[in-house]
Amino acid sequence: MRDGRPRTRTAHTSTNPPGAPDDVTLSGCVASEEAVTIHVALEVDGETVYERSVDGAFDLLLDGGARVAIETCWQTRVASELEPMRTAETWKRLAKHPDARGVESHAPGPHVRVALLRRVLRPGAAVVVRGAVAEYAIEQETQARYRVAARHAPSPKRLVASAITPERAEAASTMGRRGVAARAGGVVARAGGAVLAVTALLLFVRWVVLWPPELAIAKVASLRASAGAACAMHLAFWLSVVLQRPGSTARLLPRFVGANRRPLGSQLVAGLVVFGVVASLALGAGGALMLEKLLDTGDPTASGRNGRPLLESAWLPAAFLWVCSTCGILGLCLRERGEARLAALFRDHGDGWTVREGVLEEGELTISVHVNGHGRSATRHWSSEIDGALTIASDGETLTVRTAGIAWGIDTVACAPEQRGERWTVGPGAAVAIAGRLGHGTNLLARGPESLVVVATPCTCSVGASLVRGLWLRRAVLAVAVGGAVSAIVLAYAGG
């Protein structure tokens, strides 16, 4: 009661209240008693032959306590961050599954073994739903005052969903449990990398820096130099593992691609790094044993088990180590070179080139790798795609990015393992940075090669600052590899 006059509150429904928006975005928790299937896919031999969103319904509990009825249909876009449930059986048995009706139009023979993937919403899951309001609940507040119009506050009562995604906190961990596993794996990788980096540094100091003057003869100089270069290469590689981006493998920069093109880089470069790291451990054991034997005996004329002086055959492990070290350092220099070129665009270049940051509201960026064949004949096929237009909220504005011709990158916490490959996806809620000649408009498009670059990451961080940090870390790693190898050569031959 106010001023002695009674006030009543009643609820009404309306399908189209005046002035109300057609599309809304709501966030809340799923308030259903059972898990709700909203998307199904049929896989045969590891490949998706058919997928679609299915009709479903659930209640969304908003923060204020209100409930909104959500309906899904075949047009509803479902974010890949929602973890799928996988059921593998022959089609004869799988056809009895209630959710198999959504894919039975593309069913194989009854004897074929298939997999049914269902994306479900579990009770209590925090999601963001975007869609068209089918029915409103209008709270009408009426006061008994003469010639005072009633005030209407329209609120959705029933919504037909056009897109369903996890909330930002859930998207930042990239696919729930896999994100937790990826973080745990990242900690183990960093801890192991730190141990190996310290070991490489100690061996460099032992064999190159603190080598006894009485053993610094010309015959051992080449072996010391090659061993020092191998230690520098290992130190740089394991530092990149320690400093790697979340969920990556010794990567300091995001995965960049061109629109509808395979990711930049090649398997040859990765092969050089792997060969340098692995082969130097296997083939460098002989050189390490020779150096340790010389240090233990303190005699440059020490002999091995066959009775011959060690230094007579020192050229062989030295040659192997030089080959391994050269391959490893060259691979580190070439690795992520294209990514570094694009990441450097997220700095001030003048001439109208600007960088803006925001949050991805609509769209999904995906990079996939599929393995064909087995054993030595196995090949890796990369693919990339952008699902839907990119809508980005930035500084109070809504930017629309036309994806034709843009270069883009994603920085993910974890990949989604598939039967014959992996998939990296970033969707709504991700932090985004855009670099290009953006002007003052809100409709952005690429006007030339690499004239518009977009990077998205589910991590809650400044994307631009993260890219600059990655560039500096890459330079530091390369300085350790190249500078350490050069120092090893100078110190080894100067003392010999």
Side-chain angles (χ1 to χ4, degrees):
M1 181 178 295
R2 183 183 296 175
D3 299 332
R5 287 182 284 270
R7 183 177 64 179
T8 60
R9 182 184 295 268
T10 59
H12 301 274
T13 62
S14 170
T15 57
N16 189 20
D22 291 331
D23 292 336
V24 297
T25 301
L26 303 176
S27 61
C29 296
V30 177
S32 62
E33 297 181 357
E34 299 179 352
V36 180
T37 302
I38 56 177
H39 188 272
V40 293
L42 184 67
E43 280 190 0
V44 179
D45 293 333
E47 294 188 6
T48 302
V49 297
Y50 182 66
E51 62 179 331
R52 56 161 295 185
S53 298
V54 296
D55 296 341
F58 61 92
D59 286 347
L60 187 68
L61 182 62
L62 306 183
D63 293 339
R67 283 177 176 254
V68 179
I70 307 296
E71 298 177 1
T72 63
C73 62
W74 66 273
Q75 293 179 318
T76 304
R77 296 197 306 273
V78 179
S80 61
E81 285 88 353
L82 295 174
E83 185 175 358
M85 298 178 62
R86 183 186 183 88
T87 305
E89 276 288 0
T90 61
W91 177 252
K92 182 178 180 179
R93 296 183 178 181
L94 195 61
K96 300 176 182 179
H97 197 287
D99 293 329
R101 292 192 297 267
V103 295
E104 61 184 359
S105 61
H106 289 68
H111 64 289
V112 178
R113 186 173 180 83
V114 297
L116 179 67
L117 275 70
R118 300 175 295 130
R119 299 193 185 275
V120 300
L121 296 178
R122 302 182 183 276
V127 295
V128 176
V129 181
R130 182 184 180 91
V133 178
E135 187 176 354
Y136 282 87
I138 302 177
E139 292 184 349
Q140 177 176 302
E141 187 177 273
T142 305
Q143 286 190 354
R145 297 178 61 184
Y146 181 68
R147 289 183 179 178
V148 174
R151 292 180 295 172
H152 298 270
S155 60
K157 180 180 180 181
R158 184 165 57 90
L159 191 74
V160 178
S162 60
I164 299 178
T165 60
E167 279 194 344
R168 180 179 176 84
E170 207 170 309
S173 66
T174 306
M175 308 186 71
R177 297 179 182 176
R178 281 194 293 271
V180 176
R183 288 193 294 271
V187 172
V188 174
R190 286 184 170 87
V195 172
L196 293 173
V198 171
T199 302
L201 178 61
L202 293 178
L203 291 177
F204 182 89
V205 173
R206 178 177 174 85
W207 293 339
V208 178
V209 180
L210 300 180
W211 189 259
E214 62 272 13
L215 298 178
I217 59 179
K219 289 184 178 181
V220 78
S222 178
L223 183 58
R224 288 177 56 207
S226 61
C231 289
M233 182 266 297
H234 270 272
L235 177 58
F237 175 77
W238 295 114
L239 279 178
S240 66
V241 173
V242 174
L243 302 172
Q244 67 184 356
R245 302 180 85 82
S248 302
T249 305
R251 294 188 63 88
L252 302 176
L253 294 169
R255 299 177 184 274
F256 277 97
V257 301
N260 300 321
R261 298 177 185 173
R262 60 169 294 168
L264 301 177
S266 67
Q267 297 182 22
L268 175 61
V269 173
L272 288 175
V273 177
V274 173
F275 172 79
V277 172
V278 176
S280 61
L281 291 175
L283 303 178
L289 292 175
M290 288 183 181
L291 292 174
E292 289 299 324
K293 181 73 172 180
L294 291 174
L295 286 174
D296 291 340
T297 61
D299 182 9
T301 63
S303 301
R305 293 182 179 180
N306 56 5
R308 294 182 179 180
L310 290 175
L311 297 182
E312 282 189 3
S313 57
W315 64 271
L316 186 59
F320 281 135
L321 281 175
W322 274 124
V323 172
C324 299
S325 302
T326 303
C327 290
I329 294 174
L330 180 61
L332 289 174
C333 292
L334 296 178
R335 192 169 188 263
E336 297 188 291
R337 183 180 59 174
E339 286 86 339
R341 185 183 70 250
L342 291 177
L345 297 176
F346 287 82
R347 294 180 298 187
D348 183 18
H349 289 269
D351 191 25
W353 190 272
T354 57
V355 178
R356 295 188 64 172
E357 298 195 15
V359 177
L360 183 63
E361 290 187 336
E362 290 186 14
E364 191 173 80
L365 303 96
T366 302
I367 297 176
S368 302
V369 57
H370 187 77
V371 181
N372 298 315
H374 300 275
R376 296 182 179 178
S377 62
T379 59
R380 295 162 64 89
H381 173 69
W382 288 89
S383 62
S384 58
E385 63 177 348
I386 302 178
D387 183 14
L390 299 181
T391 303
I392 300 167
S394 175
D395 297 332
E397 293 184 324
T398 300
L399 307 178
T400 302
V401 179
R402 297 185 185 180
T403 60
I406 70 171
W408 54 274
I410 60 176
D411 190 11
T412 58
V413 175
C415 67
E418 298 179 341
Q419 185 174 358
R420 296 288 295 165
E422 294 176 330
R423 185 181 72 253
W424 295 265
T425 302
V426 172
V432 181
I434 312 171
R437 294 181 179 85
L438 308 180
H440 301 287
T442 58
N443 194 6
L444 309 180
L445 69 160
R447 302 184 183 276
E450 298 182 2
S451 62
L452 184 63
V453 188
V454 178
V455 177
T457 172
C459 300
T460 54
C461 64
S462 171
V463 183
S466 175
L467 293 173
V468 173
R469 174 178 174 272
L471 286 173
W472 281 108
L473 291 178
R474 182 175 183 272
R475 292 172 182 171
V477 166
L478 295 182
V480 169
V482 178
V486 173
S487 300
I489 296 173
V490 172
L491 292 174
Y493 284 98

